[in-house]
Amino acid sequence: MQKKDEEIFSKFSKGLKSLVRRKQVDSVHVRREGHQLARKLSALDLTAIGVGTTIGAGVYVLVGTVAREHTGPALAVSFLIAGLAAALSAFCYAELASRCPSAGSAYHYTYICIGESVAWLIGWSLILEYTIGGSAIARGISPNLALFFGGEDKLPGFLVRFTIPQLGVVVDPCAAILVIIVTILLCAGIKESSLVQTIVTTVNVCAMIFIIIAGGYLACKTGWVGYKNHSRFFPFGVNGMLAGAGVVFFSYIGFDAVTGAAEEAKRPVRDLPLGIGMTLSLCCILYMLVSVVIVGLVPYYALNPDTPISSAFSANGMQWAAYIVTAGAVTALCASLLGSLLPQPRLLMAMARDGLVPSFFSDISTRTQVPVKSTVAAGILAAILALFMDVSELSGMVSVGTLLAFTVVAISILILRYAPPDEVPLPASLQESLSSLRMQLDGDSQRTEEKSINIGQSSHQLEDGEASIQYPLIEKQITEDKRNQRRRRKIAGWNIALFCIGVLVFTSAASAEDLPSLLRFALGAVGAAILLCSLIVLACLNQDEGRHSFGHTGGFLCPFVPFLPGACILINTYLLISLGFTTSQDSVNAVLEVRVAFNVQSAIFSDTFVVNLTATVDIVTRRFTGATCFS
């Protein structure tokens, strides 16, 4: 009976250890067999992927709503603050991408630095995000593409939406076909799909540049009336400006798609950080310039919340500009669809390599050098969702996966700097030498036993801090160094954990508005004390020397550690907790109210295409902003 209990306890302990076991850095490169992904992407290609995924059509609607309700003329400041907040995560991603340039993005970094259980959670969260996000975008594109042909009645019968009366399900064949087309493009090769992404993104960026140049010209002619018709730059105060920054923050989500193509970059150590930085910088500049022009062209309180850019041009006699704005919004949706479906197969491939999903998904085509099987499987799943399900109501929840990924990536930076994993894979040549040496030792059992005894005594002395007789000073010095290193790592590990606990308590107290004020203040004070004390201890500790030999060296290094990753953890956790306290029913009701408002405003323009486009933009862009900016 006792033996059986010991076996059960042993299995249980092994199961617990498997939840926290960590993958060796770049071990995927050591054990990989067969064909590899094609390294064909330059920094410009990676930037096109990131910009196309990040800039959704939300900016074409978001500027009006946020300016009217939160920021006023200070909209550009909100975009700047949100861009700086997103840059905190971008710095963390850039270092991990250059050190561990493998497929899987945040999942891969989490598995190396934190452990298998958290990596499994991050992996499936990102898969959910990519699948539902891509399906929602496809359902938003299809009705607006139909209007290019003069309405749904002009489309072939097999593309028209219809409802199944018994189930009340709206079937959208056009959305499913769009997903299938993108899946086929992704299967053709990474260079082909990146070329299409570059073309579509260029059209979108050109539309935004047109808005900036033409709008700036009109604003100069009218004297920038938007900034003259009121007395305050912050009509809603600093709190309103910060609230607007929290809303537009989700317009920057998508730059992490660059790291999904890490194994296909020509020079990953250099190109991945460059692609991330260029993506975020370009998006921030475009967002700020568009907001400056539009708010200057029309007073913020007179902006149309449904079609702010088109109505601003129409008010100045440029009704034809609505077509260019529409083209930019549609291409933005197409680029977001391609960007949403690109990282998912690579993530499945990375998880299959680690044994967390069937090995079927890790196969790479010898002809196209892409994971065709995982691409087809992901595409079929997204097409089914786009065909049968109205996933727009779920699009507000899947950003939880992105915020969770941002948070654990910042935690991984702290672990990498203060307690880096020791496991480093041995080269194949050294493994062969060790194997041959082990065979020689096995030939002489007596010597082997004597050597094992001596090794055991030596290791026992090292643990106890005793010096050997032959090398007393050297072994004692090594022992002291190891002891100091272990002590420092243990202190750092506990303080990283305490910092995360303090952040969780503090942000929960700040977000829980239903709690009594006294209790909120007490919890907030306790959380703030814990996170500040742990952060101070980390700042006083020396960073571990093992970080210099971790993964690929010579790449980008995240600055201001531990303060920058700490601020990243705090901001993303606050957004995550705040999102959790917002009920999903409230978000759904807000979306429904916005849809009604769009329908009421359908007589604003003679061009019904623009109005119908904006009716779907708010629920499919950046997988969160549509539900949040109106709640």
Side-chain angles (χ1 to χ4, degrees):
M1 187 68 179
Q2 184 177 0
K3 189 175 181 180
K4 185 177 289 187
D5 292 340
E6 291 178 355
E7 291 178 357
I8 294 174
F9 179 77
S10 176
K11 292 180 180 179
F12 181 72
S13 61
K14 287 181 180 179
L16 289 179
K17 289 181 179 178
S18 67
L19 294 177
V20 297
R21 64 185 175 194
R22 296 190 288 192
K23 182 170 65 172
Q24 294 178 345
V25 59
D26 284 343
S27 59
V28 64
H29 295 293
V30 175
R31 68 171 184 267
R32 188 187 306 164
E33 298 178 357
H35 218 67
Q36 298 183 9
L37 297 176
R39 292 195 175 274
K40 295 182 178 180
L41 298 182
S42 63
L44 186 60
D45 296 324
L46 293 171
T47 303
I49 292 173
V51 172
T53 309
T54 304
I55 299 182
V59 67
Y60 294 94
V61 176
L62 201 61
V63 291
T65 304
V66 177
R68 285 173 59 94
E69 299 182 3
H70 297 290
T71 66
L75 178 61
V77 181
S78 293
F79 272 111
L80 176 61
I81 293 175
L84 293 175
L88 301 179
S89 298
F91 279 123
C92 299
Y93 266 96
E95 175 170 350
L96 289 172
S98 61
R99 285 184 178 271
C100 316
S102 296
S105 187
Y107 156 79
H108 179 64
Y109 314 144
T110 306
Y111 206 154
I112 291 173
C113 297
I114 299 179
E116 182 177 290
S117 58
V118 181
W120 183 88
L121 175 63
I122 295 298
W124 282 109
S125 298
L126 291 177
I127 289 175
L128 176 69
E129 176 196 353
Y130 294 140
T131 304
I132 295 181
S135 302
I137 292 170
R139 288 186 75 100
I141 296 174
S142 59
N144 299 292
L145 286 180
L147 293 177
F148 265 128
F149 300 94
E152 291 192 0
D153 55 332
K154 303 291 185 180
L155 285 176
F158 67 92
L159 293 179
V160 178
R161 284 185 175 184
F162 62 92
T163 303
I164 302 177
Q166 295 80 4
L167 301 177
V169 175
V170 179
V171 179
D172 192 343
C174 187
I177 291 175
L178 285 172
V179 173
I180 292 173
I181 291 174
V182 172
T183 302
I184 294 173
L185 177 62
L186 292 174
C187 291
I190 186 61
K191 193 62 179 177
E192 291 77 6
S193 55
S194 66
L195 177 61
V196 174
Q197 179 77 311
T198 302
I199 294 172
V200 176
T201 301
T202 301
V203 175
N204 182 24
V205 172
C206 288
M208 298 186 73
I209 293 175
F210 166 80
I211 294 170
I212 294 167
I213 295 175
Y217 172 74
L218 290 175
C220 288
K221 287 181 63 177
T222 58
W224 298 91
V225 295
Y227 294 103
K228 292 183 178 179
N229 289 356
H230 52 81
S231 59
R232 293 186 301 167
F233 189 71
F234 297 97
F236 299 96
V238 176
N239 290 335
M241 183 267 296
L242 293 176
V247 174
V248 301
F249 172 82
F250 294 92
S251 297
Y252 291 96
I253 288 179
F255 67 84
D256 55 320
V258 174
T259 60
E263 287 188 29
E264 290 149 305
K266 292 179 180 178
R267 294 177 291 273
V269 175
R270 188 202 71 171
D271 290 347
L272 288 172
L274 191 60
I276 294 172
M278 291 174 63
T279 294
L280 202 58
S281 301
L282 183 59
C283 292
C284 186
I285 291 171
L286 289 174
Y287 287 157
M288 290 180 65
L289 290 178
V290 168
S291 60
V292 166
V293 168
I294 297 303
V295 176
L297 198 59
V298 178
Y300 74 92
Y301 49 81
L303 282 172
N304 188 297
D306 308 332
T307 55
I309 298 177
S310 300
S311 60
F313 280 105
S314 297
N316 288 271
M318 290 181 62
Q319 287 83 0
W320 56 269
Y323 293 96
I324 298 178
V325 175
T326 297
V330 172
T331 54
L333 288 173
C334 294
S336 295
L337 175 60
L338 184 56
S340 295
L341 297 180
L342 175 66
Q344 186 179 2
R346 281 115 185 117
L347 178 57
L348 281 172
M349 180 188 68
M351 296 180 71
R353 288 171 176 172
D354 300 326
L356 299 185
V357 296
S359 59
F360 165 85
F361 295 106
S362 64
D363 294 342
I364 298 175
S365 171
T366 57
R367 187 176 63 86
T368 61
Q369 294 181 284
V370 295
V372 173
K373 293 181 180 179
S374 57
T375 302
V376 171
I380 291 175
L381 178 59
I384 292 173
L385 288 177
L387 179 64
F388 292 108
M389 294 182 63
D390 185 8
V391 293
S392 59
E393 294 178 358
L394 298 177
S395 60
M397 293 183 282
V398 294
S399 282
V400 171
T402 300
L403 292 175
L404 196 59
F406 284 3
T407 304
V408 298
V409 165
I411 295 173
S412 298
I413 287 291
L414 293 178
I415 294 174
L416 169 61
R417 293 297 187 91
Y418 291 98
D422 290 323
E423 298 83 8
V424 179
L426 297 175
S429 58
L430 184 56
Q431 288 180 348
E432 294 177 359
S433 301
L434 290 176
S435 299
S436 60
L437 180 61
R438 190 178 295 109
M439 292 178 62
Q440 293 177 6
L441 292 175
D442 289 341
D444 192 346
S445 59
Q446 186 175 358
R447 285 187 176 182
T448 304
E449 291 176 2
E450 293 175 357
K451 287 181 179 290
S452 63
I453 293 172
N454 292 333
I455 292 173
Q457 292 175 350
S458 175
S459 63
H460 176 70
Q461 290 172 351
L462 286 178
E463 291 293 329
D464 293 340
E466 299 176 359
S468 70
I469 297 176
Q470 295 180 347
Y471 308 101
L473 297 179
I474 295 177
E475 293 198 7
K476 188 174 182 64
Q477 183 65 36
I478 293 175
T479 303
E480 290 300 324
D481 289 343
K482 285 185 176 293
R483 279 188 168 183
N484 292 334
Q485 183 186 64
R486 289 174 182 173
R487 189 181 301 113
R488 184 174 61 249
R489 288 190 175 188
K490 186 176 292 186
I491 294 173
W494 276 108
N495 278 277
I496 291 172
L498 286 174
F499 177 79
C500 295
I501 293 172
V503 167
L504 187 62
V505 173
F506 178 77
T507 53
S508 298
S511 302
E513 298 180 356
D514 295 335
L515 290 178
S517 300
L518 184 61
L519 180 59
R520 285 184 66 193
F521 179 79
L523 289 176
V526 171
I530 294 174
L531 70 89
L532 285 176
C533 291
S534 56
L535 190 63
I536 291 172
V537 173
L538 287 175
C540 295
L541 287 176
N542 293 325
Q543 296 185 27
D544 199 282
E545 293 298 324
R547 72 187 190 280
H548 296 302
S549 58
F550 181 85
H552 295 246
T553 57
F556 179 84
L557 293 178
C558 179
F560 308 116
V561 177
F563 301 106
L564 190 148
C568 178
I569 295 170
L570 180 62
I571 292 173
N572 290 312
T573 305
Y574 175 74
L575 292 173
L576 191 62
I577 296 295
S578 299
L579 184 62
F581 276 105
T582 303
T583 62
S584 59
Q585 187 59 44
D586 291 340
S587 299
V588 172
N589 290 337
V591 172
L592 293 177
E593 291 173 3
V594 171
R595 285 178 172 175
V596 172
F598 281 134
N599 292 331
V600 171
Q601 296 292 334
S602 61
I604 294 177
F605 299 106
S606 58
D607 184 12
T608 58
F609 180 83
V610 178
V611 180
N612 284 311
L613 170 70
T614 55
T616 57
V617 159
D618 64 294
I619 56 173
V620 299
T621 54
R622 295 288 33 89
R623 303 181 284 276
F624 183 83
T625 47
T628 317
C629 60
F630 301 102
S631 59

